[in-house]
Amino acid sequence: MFDLEKSIREWNKDFRKQDSLEDGVLADMELLLRDAYKDHRRAGLDEEDAFRAAAAQVGPAPSIASAYRKNQIAVLNRRSPFRLSRFMPALVGNYIKIAFRKIRREKGYSLINVAGLAVGIACCLLILSWVRFELSYERFHKNATEIYRVISEFHSPGGEINYTLESQAPLAAALKQNYPEIINSARTLSADWKIGREGARFRESVWFVDPAFLDIFTFTFVQGDPATALSDPNSVILTETLAKKHFRNDNPIGKTVIGGRNTSLIVSGVIKDIPQKSHLDINAIIPLEIRTAGQNLTEWGGFNYRTYIQLQKGSSGKDVQQKIKNLLEKYTPKTQTTIQLQPLTNIHLFALEGGGMITYIYIFSAMALLILLIACVNYMSLSSAKASARAKEAGIRQVVGARRKQLISQFLGESFIHSLIATIIAIVLAQVFLPAFQRLAGNKFMVSYSLGTIALAVGIAALTGILSGSYPAFVLSRVKPVKIFKGILRSGGEGVLFRKILVIVQLALSIFFIFGTLVISKQVHLLRNKYLGYDKKNIICLDTMDGIAGNYSAVKNKLMNNPHIAGMTVVDCFLDEPNSSATSDVISWEGQKAGESLPWLIVRGVDFDFQNTFGIEMAEGRFFSEKYPSDRNDSMIVNEAAVKAMKMDSPIGKKFHFWGYNGTIIGVIKDFHFRSLHKNIEPMVMKIGINLQRIAIRIKAEDVAATLKFIETEIKKIVPSYSFEFEFLDEKLDWLYRAERRMENIALSISFLAIFLSCLGVLGLAAFMAKEKTKEIGIRKVLGASVRSITMMFYKEYVRWVIAANLIACPLGFYIVGRWLQKFAYRINIGILIYVLSSALVLFIVLLTVSFQSVRAATAHPIDSIRYE
Amino acid sequence: MITKTLMAASTRPIILAILSGREDYGYNIIQKVKNISGGNLEWTDGMLYSVLQRMEMDGLVTSQWKIDGESRPRRYFEITAEGRRVLASEMANWKQILKAMTLFSRRHPAES
């Protein structure tokens, strides 16, 4: 009787003998056999024949085994039998565990590492957020990239160029008419104007504009229609804040406000307040017509208006600039003035004469990166110092099969975890120090947690992780395990030179920062304290003569009765403000030779008391005097710079002509500074009565408060409506150097940070060196070395490093700081002393830092030291 | 008789074409291959089965054990995306060859 199962078992035996057939295949074969058997049975064969036919159909075991062997060999050839998988998720957990274990075991080192990185990253985060803020100025205008401001350039025969933001009245229309690329143009005038409801008027920043101004710039109208808001000459658009100030919650549209002397204006629109990030400091917008009524606006003489244009989408500013550059020649053939376009988005960043905010952005970005670099260097030098301890771990990992790539990713991963922890701490630190940094930077930017900032923080963390972890990762992974176990790498061998270089770079940067800070401080001190040619202290500035103009003599007589008031005068503008100026085509003088010209002349309107009030000396001749009636119209005074520029031998009595005025030079006033010390003293002419609108009062230093009260009371007695707002001239002048003062503050903070971070690194390294030399110190002590000699041994090492750091810092410092000083017409002599001082300061701080560790090592008991390990 | 060489070249695309419709188990696939070749095949079922294993190693098919109504589990094969890609390219190649052969058969009718 045929037994199927028994036959199959027998049949299976043949197959089981074949090495290449695994259990799964055997099961497959048996299934094939059974299926074939069933088919043959269905076809009518008896059990035994069906089995035989099925077995033949499946085939003989050896040939099937051979086919399977071929398959296996093909696959084995394709892939190495010992190939490790590229990614072993099981090990990631181990890496993280090891990283945290390291942090826990070596709290001191980890603290130095993470704290250093956190401070560096926080600093970087704050500075880069500030940079982002500064770079985003004006971007809120829809057409920001198509808007340009027109700049006038005055060229002197000597090649000098003077710039002004103002251009002529007909220019805006001429630009639009002549160039199809210019789709909009608008003139503007801005002024501090008294505006508000009757009886409650305040000085506000008011812009008088052509209607196209609203098409060029983007303002959000809360009320009113931008298309018609400026169509009536007596209309006014208020910002939300100004509207609220005067109308609270009432609807201001259609209401009347009074501006200037007594101009009634109807509110036609309310716009949202202009964002802080704009050069448009606007509280109210009024049609330009109100200021230009009755003026001849077709004349090309005066440069009075700021002109903005909007280009067609896709037009290149550079191409248009090239085309319009010499447009003025068409209308004023003899002109030496050309026009330039300044992109709206550059206004905040680039000063016309070069430099500007962008310089500070570059400087501070570089500083941020350097600080981060110092923090990374700390990490690298400490990690490489610890390399000997980690080397064994790296060796074991290599022996059990870790590839180089795996080791690199493990160590990089570790430093990334460190930097990630540091970044989280840094974000907290950045928030804590934000108000202080805002004060330093002088504006209210925010560290906003937008996607961009998060990307920035993660980016910084990743960069820091890679930077700081790269050395240990690449060096440790390269070392042969056999070297490690033989003890060749014991003392951190290869890393010594590298660590020295890192510390030297760090110290060099610290010296450089301190040197830079000292130079900046000295320069700022010079700017603030240089004698300007007059005594700038105790001069009170009143910005307006509103109401006083008609009663000036009465007010002056009253005030001068007070013995604490030493002088009073009216001027066109204060010494910190841009003056009116004349260009070569409207200047001539007696004895002027062909080819001689004065490209640029500052015009200063004064009254008879100017010299006395400011205390400026005369170089020649006399000042204006009421004793000579002709002084009022025909006399002029020039400064020494003007005499020099005109090459006059004896200027007194010579005729002089500028704008439309003809007169005689009656005196030469000694050069005094009337602009910031970034610039040299320029040629200047003074004339009585031009555009007088500001009051300066010199008071005595005693009892200032009472004097101020007296001035206010007396003025109000005569002009009750006068709003008494004053400033001291020296404070106003200080404002000119705010950028430098800000830089001084930031440089000071950054230097402090740099030296702090460097000291952290030095401290860590000193601790490590002391530990490494424990045995050596013990033996030295047993052999009779004193505490002093052992401490000196440490000191010597660091003194050598500081000397080496000087080799980098000295040329770098003198070059960079020297270049910064170039932009000042009046600058300090750097001198070697400042440099020596900064270098000595760094040396002192470093030795102080090392002292603790070295003295501790030197005073330890030799027995403990020798027993160590 | 289809030679071993020709069979070796055509088995893979034939199996892929069979599996492109739906998944199937080993014995069924092998019978379909045999039917397509008109029974003129020198290969045994076991040898053909090794082709399926090789195709799985190459990622053209995947397999899993399933019990469908019977007590014994069967290994079901399913075509992969890579398998479909290879099938498309093989089909194109074979069509090209068929075109050439058709052309030749018209020129040499006696030999066809």
Side-chain angles (χ1 to χ4, degrees):
Chain A
M1 180 75 183
F2 178 75
D3 183 348
L4 177 67
E5 293 307 317
K6 196 178 164 193
S7 306
I8 291 176
R9 275 200 298 277
E10 282 301 312
W11 176 85
N12 253 334
K13 275 184 187 165
D14 257 3
F15 278 81
R16 286 191 197 285
K17 284 180 195 159
Q18 310 298 328
D19 288 341
S20 59
L21 299 181
E22 294 163 1
D23 286 352
V25 177
L26 294 180
D28 283 331
M29 291 303 124
E30 191 183 322
L31 265 176
L32 282 184
L33 182 77
R34 287 179 188 273
D35 283 337
Y37 172 80
K38 270 184 210 158
D39 271 2
H40 289 299
R41 286 285 291 150
R42 261 186 234 122
L45 294 184
D46 65 23
E47 285 185 345
E48 204 168 344
D49 288 344
F51 177 77
R52 261 193 226 113
Q57 190 177 330
V58 173
S63 55
I64 293 171
S66 151
Y68 273 90
R69 195 172 299 117
K70 277 182 196 162
N71 278 355
Q72 284 162 358
I73 289 168
V75 172
L76 286 176
N77 283 344
R78 213 163 47 190
R79 186 178 165 142
S80 148
F82 302 110
R83 188 163 178 151
L84 286 170
S85 102
R86 277 167 211 275
F87 178 63
M88 293 190 190
L91 281 181
V92 173
N94 179 260
Y95 294 158
I96 295 173
K97 198 161 81 185
I98 296 282
F100 279 104
R101 190 181 289 165
K102 287 277 160 211
I103 294 175
R104 233 185 8 252
R105 275 202 196 150
E106 288 160 353
K107 290 194 184 80
Y109 286 109
S110 302
L111 187 74
I112 289 178
N113 266 346
V114 173
L117 276 183
V119 171
I121 294 173
C123 177
C124 206
L125 200 65
L126 280 175
I127 292 181
L128 292 184
S129 300
W130 171 77
V131 166
R132 258 168 51 121
F133 175 86
E134 294 292 337
L135 291 178
S136 65
Y137 262 70
E138 314 287 359
R139 298 277 170 187
F140 64 92
H141 293 292
K142 213 170 70 202
N143 310 316
T145 52
E146 286 125 41
I147 303 172
Y148 292 81
R149 183 162 74 176
V150 180
I151 307 293
S152 305
E153 293 180 333
F154 304 102
H155 297 262
S156 77
E160 244 182 77
I161 302 176
N162 273 297
Y163 302 90
T164 172
L165 302 177
E166 276 74 29
S167 44
Q168 301 104 315
L171 182 67
L175 281 170
K176 196 178 168 193
Q177 193 184 340
N178 284 299
Y179 304 97
E181 298 94 328
I182 299 173
I183 53 172
N184 270 318
S185 65
R187 294 166 300 181
T188 67
L189 276 177
S190 60
D192 271 350
W193 228 44
K194 263 191 153 183
I195 190 168
R197 289 211 296 183
E198 189 70 68
R201 296 202 289 146
F202 304 97
R203 291 205 159 269
E204 308 286 355
S205 173
V206 174
W207 281 55
F208 302 90
V209 304
D210 284 329
F213 185 75
L214 297 184
D215 300 328
I216 297 176
F217 294 99
T218 309
F219 301 111
T220 313
F221 272 75
V222 181
Q223 277 178 293
D225 177 9
T228 55
L230 292 180
S231 45
D232 181 346
N234 280 60
S235 53
V236 59
I237 300 168
L238 306 179
T239 57
E240 240 176 343
T241 304
L242 190 58
K244 281 239 161 68
K245 190 164 155 186
H246 291 286
F247 300 102
R248 304 251 168 105
N249 293 327
D250 295 348
N251 181 4
I253 299 291
K255 301 255 167 63
T256 304
V257 289
I258 311 291
R261 297 238 155 86
N262 205 3
T263 312
S264 293
L265 301 159
I266 308 291
V267 179
S268 60
V270 177
I271 54 171
K272 280 210 172 298
D273 290 354
I274 314 288
Q276 188 198 344
K277 295 189 282 186
S278 174
H279 80 291
L280 301 173
D281 166 29
I282 296 179
N283 295 130
I285 302 174
I286 295 174
L288 185 66
E289 289 165 78
I290 215 161
R291 285 294 285 261
T292 55
Q295 290 181 17
N296 182 358
L297 293 180
T298 55
E299 278 210 1
W300 286 85
F303 291 78
N304 299 316
Y305 302 90
R306 294 200 178 168
T307 305
Y308 294 89
I309 60 166
Q310 181 190 352
L311 300 187
Q312 216 161 30
K313 258 197 181 17
S315 294
S316 146
K318 277 193 183 145
D319 292 348
V320 176
Q321 147 108 44
Q322 209 48 42
K323 283 188 193 169
I324 66 170
K325 195 174 178 209
N326 296 315
L327 173 72
L328 296 183
E329 280 174 12
K330 186 173 167 185
Y331 301 98
T332 49
K334 276 190 186 166
T335 189
Q336 287 173 325
T337 309
T338 56
I339 46 186
Q340 203 200 83
L341 292 181
Q342 185 185 28
L344 177 69
T345 46
N346 281 4
I347 290 177
H348 175 69
L349 300 175
F350 295 89
L352 292 177
E353 296 85 2
M357 182 55 80
I358 197 77
T359 317
Y360 292 96
I361 287 177
Y362 286 143
I363 291 176
F364 293 138
S365 304
M367 282 179 167
L369 289 178
L370 286 178
I371 284 284
L372 192 63
L373 187 71
I374 291 181
C376 289
V377 163
N378 271 352
Y379 188 95
M380 282 161 100
S381 72
L382 282 178
S383 318
S384 72
K386 301 286 297 169
S388 58
R390 294 304 298 274
K392 251 178 203 159
E393 181 197 334
I396 302 256
R397 281 187 187 272
Q398 286 190 52
V399 168
V400 297
R403 292 287 175 97
R404 190 160 179 228
K405 266 189 199 159
Q406 281 176 310
L407 284 177
I408 290 176
S409 54
Q410 185 202 337
F411 287 121
L412 280 184
E414 259 177 41
S415 68
F416 187 71
I417 290 177
H418 273 126
S419 68
L420 210 63
I421 298 172
T423 306
I424 294 166
I425 299 173
I427 290 174
V428 177
L429 281 180
Q431 271 308 314
V432 172
F433 287 105
L434 183 65
F437 189 78
Q438 281 173 338
R439 274 197 300 279
L440 275 182
N443 56 21
K444 270 220 166 301
F445 75 95
M446 297 299 290
V447 181
S448 60
Y449 292 100
S450 61
L451 210 61
T453 320
I454 292 166
L456 186 77
V458 172
I460 292 175
L463 181 77
T464 316
I466 291 170
L467 258 179
S468 52
S470 57
Y471 179 80
F474 288 96
V475 169
L476 283 181
S477 62
R478 209 181 50 212
V479 179
K480 294 257 181 320
V482 66
K483 268 192 178 180
I484 297 166
F485 297 123
K486 274 185 180 166
I488 297 174
L489 209 76
R490 274 267 334 117
S491 63
E494 326 189 354
V496 173
L497 179 69
F498 178 74
R499 284 205 305 279
K500 279 186 185 168
I501 294 173
L502 289 183
V503 172
I504 288 167
V505 167
Q506 235 179 8
L507 293 176
L509 288 174
S510 304
I511 296 173
F512 167 69
F513 278 136
I514 291 182
F515 174 58
T517 309
L518 289 180
V519 170
I520 293 170
S521 301
K522 220 176 153 199
Q523 174 68 18
V524 171
H525 185 262
L526 171 94
L527 293 176
R528 296 173 74 178
N529 297 296
K530 185 176 162 53
Y531 181 64
L532 302 175
Y534 59 90
D535 180 9
K536 65 181 179 182
K537 293 221 166 88
N538 302 320
I539 293 180
I540 295 169
C541 305
L542 303 179
D543 266 356
T544 173
M545 290 196 53
D546 277 357
I548 295 184
N551 306 301
Y552 180 68
S553 302
V555 171
K556 186 178 153 195
N557 288 338
K558 272 273 180 225
L559 295 186
M560 291 306 290
N561 280 337
N562 185 326
H564 285 113
I565 293 177
M568 178 172 176
T569 184
V570 271
V571 285
D572 57 346
C573 61
F574 288 121
L575 303 185
D576 61 316
E577 296 171 307
N579 281 83
S580 305
S581 54
T583 50
S584 58
D585 42 341
V586 291
I587 306 167
S588 60
W589 62 89
E590 186 183 337
Q592 183 180 16
K593 292 183 189 130
E596 279 182 352
S597 74
L598 206 53
W600 181 256
L601 179 74
I602 301 293
V603 177
R604 182 166 281 285
V606 294
D607 80 345
F608 296 101
D609 302 309
F610 179 85
Q611 191 208 1
N612 280 339
T613 308
F614 283 97
I616 304 167
E617 290 174 41
M618 298 299 291
E620 251 181 280
R622 60 173 178 85
F623 196 73
F624 302 112
S625 166
E626 284 180 286
K627 278 190 253 166
Y628 304 94
S630 63
D631 278 5
R632 197 169 286 281
N633 293 319
D634 304 329
S635 299
M636 292 174 187
I637 285 173
V638 291
N639 67 351
E640 290 172 307
V643 172
K644 204 172 152 199
M646 292 187 287
K647 296 179 190 137
M648 275 185 178
D649 290 331
S650 44
I652 307 297
K654 293 261 167 70
K655 296 279 178 215
F656 191 81
H657 167 94
F658 74 95
W659 288 347
Y661 299 112
N662 285 307
T664 309
I665 298 172
I666 57 158
V668 177
I669 197 163
K670 278 201 167 173
D671 278 344
F672 63 94
H673 290 279
F674 43 81
R675 294 170 92 171
S676 88
L677 292 174
H678 292 96
K679 290 203 156 200
N680 276 312
I681 295 173
E682 291 168 307
M684 179 193 68
V685 64
M686 288 178 161
K687 196 179 171 326
I688 291 286
I690 299 179
N691 201 21
L692 299 179
Q693 52 181 342
R694 310 248 195 269
I695 300 174
I697 304 170
R698 181 179 287 283
I699 60 171
K700 294 199 174 144
E702 306 90 54
D703 219 356
V704 173
T707 314
L708 286 171
K709 189 77 208 149
F710 171 79
I711 296 172
E712 181 177 5
T713 318
E714 290 305 318
I715 292 180
K716 285 211 162 153
K717 269 187 202 161
I718 298 167
V719 188
S721 65
Y722 190 79
S723 80
F724 183 72
E725 288 166 23
F726 69 92
E727 275 180 284
F728 281 100
L729 182 63
D730 50 353
E731 284 169 8
K732 276 166 81 78
L733 287 170
D734 246 12
W735 181 246
L736 294 176
Y737 309 115
R738 62 192 183 282
E740 284 73 24
R741 288 215 317 272
R742 188 188 301 164
M743 176 140 171
E744 183 191 7
N745 289 337
I746 294 185
L748 196 69
S749 318
I750 288 181
S751 300
F752 177 75
L753 265 182
I755 193 84
F756 168 73
L757 288 175
S758 300
C759 281
L760 270 187
V762 168
L763 184 73
L765 218 53
F768 176 75
M769 271 175 65
K771 206 170 164 190
E772 280 285 296
K773 292 192 175 179
T774 309
K775 225 173 218 173
E776 182 191 330
I777 292 166
I779 293 169
R780 278 175 188 271
K781 282 193 80 174
V782 167
L783 294 176
S786 64
V787 170
R788 191 169 160 268
S789 70
I790 289 171
T791 315
M792 286 310 284
M793 184 179 84
F794 277 97
Y795 282 172
K796 262 188 217 159
E797 180 88 12
Y798 283 94
V799 170
R800 274 206 295 270
W801 292 358
V802 171
I803 291 171
N806 275 305
L807 295 178
I808 306 173
C810 186
L812 184 80
F814 275 93
Y815 174 72
I816 294 179
V817 169
R819 277 201 60 175
W820 178 73
L821 281 176
Q822 286 294 322
K823 64 177 194 160
F824 297 95
Y826 298 89
R827 48 186 181 258
I828 56 160
N829 255 332
I830 304 180
I832 197 74
L833 198 68
I834 305 181
Y835 185 79
V836 173
L837 187 68
S838 24
S839 185
L841 193 64
V842 168
L843 182 66
F844 173 72
I845 296 172
V846 164
L847 292 186
L848 202 68
T849 314
V850 177
S851 292
F852 173 67
Q853 285 295 343
S854 49
V855 169
R856 199 169 73 162
T859 52
H861 201 285
I863 298 218
D864 296 331
S865 310
I866 296 167
R867 238 193 240 152
Y868 173 71
E869 291 179 355
Chain B
M1 189 66 142
I2 297 173
T3 61
K4 265 188 179 174
T5 329
L6 184 56
M7 196 58 213
S10 58
T11 311
R12 280 178 167 233
I14 291 172
I15 293 177
L16 287 174
I18 292 167
L19 288 178
S20 68
R22 62 182 186 88
E23 60 170 13
D24 212 339
Y25 63 93
Y27 182 74
N28 237 359
I29 297 168
I30 291 166
Q31 298 320 307
K32 282 178 186 169
V33 175
K34 281 177 155 178
N35 287 340
I36 289 168
S37 63
N40 298 321
L41 202 58
E42 284 183 18
W43 286 15
T44 61
D45 288 9
M47 303 267 283
L48 273 173
Y49 205 87
S50 77
V51 177
L52 273 169
Q53 190 213 30
R54 179 68 188 273
M55 285 170 75
E56 189 172 8
M57 285 171 165
D58 290 345
L60 304 181
V61 297
T62 56
S63 70
Q64 58 178 327
W65 292 91
K66 279 187 185 173
I67 302 175
D68 55 348
E70 296 181 34
S71 53
R72 275 177 202 285
R74 287 181 189 282
R75 198 203 282 270
Y76 273 78
F77 291 87
E78 194 179 358
I79 190 166
T80 61
E82 172 64 8
R84 287 188 193 281
R85 202 186 56 73
V86 170
L87 173 63
S89 123
E90 288 278 339
M91 284 286 208
N93 293 342
W94 281 101
K95 272 182 191 158
Q96 200 65 32
I97 291 169
L98 182 66
K99 211 167 135 189
M101 296 313 285
T102 315
L103 203 68
F104 285 127
S105 66
R106 277 191 207 127
R107 282 191 207 157
H108 310 284
E111 295 165 28
S112 66

